[in-house]
């Protein structure tokens, strides 16, 4: 199932809007890190597609 996801970096505030797949309760977008090299501190919100 395809979903739309908003990812907001808690360090610099950069916002990313991506499409991903929902599989077994987990969302996979391929997103690895923010432009500020942050790899862990994110707010992730699923949006209706």
């Amino acid at each position: 199932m395809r979903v739309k996801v908003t990812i907001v970096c808690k360090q610099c505030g950069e916002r990313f809007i991506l499409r991903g797949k929902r599989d077994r309760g987990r969302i996979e977008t391929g997103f690895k890190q923010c432009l500020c090299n942050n790899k862990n501190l994110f707010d992730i919100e699923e949006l209706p597609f």
Side-chain angles (χ1 to χ4, degrees):
M1 170 192 244
R2 288 277 190 197
V3 294
K4 192 173 186 180
V5 178
T6 299
I7 300 173
V8 180
C9 178
K10 289 184 178 180
Q11 282 187 341
C12 69
E14 188 71 38
R15 179 178 299 261
F16 303 92
I17 300 174
L18 305 168
R19 283 186 292 179
K21 285 185 183 178
R22 175 182 287 283
D23 188 30
R24 299 182 189 139
R26 188 161 181 231
I27 299 172
E28 181 58 45
T29 62
F31 185 82
K32 300 295 181 199
Q33 72 179 29
C34 182
L35 300 172
C36 69
N37 294 327
N38 173 20
K39 295 182 183 179
N40 300 319
L41 301 172
F42 299 106
D43 281 332
I44 300 173
E45 179 182 338
E46 183 179 341
L47 302 172
F49 194 47

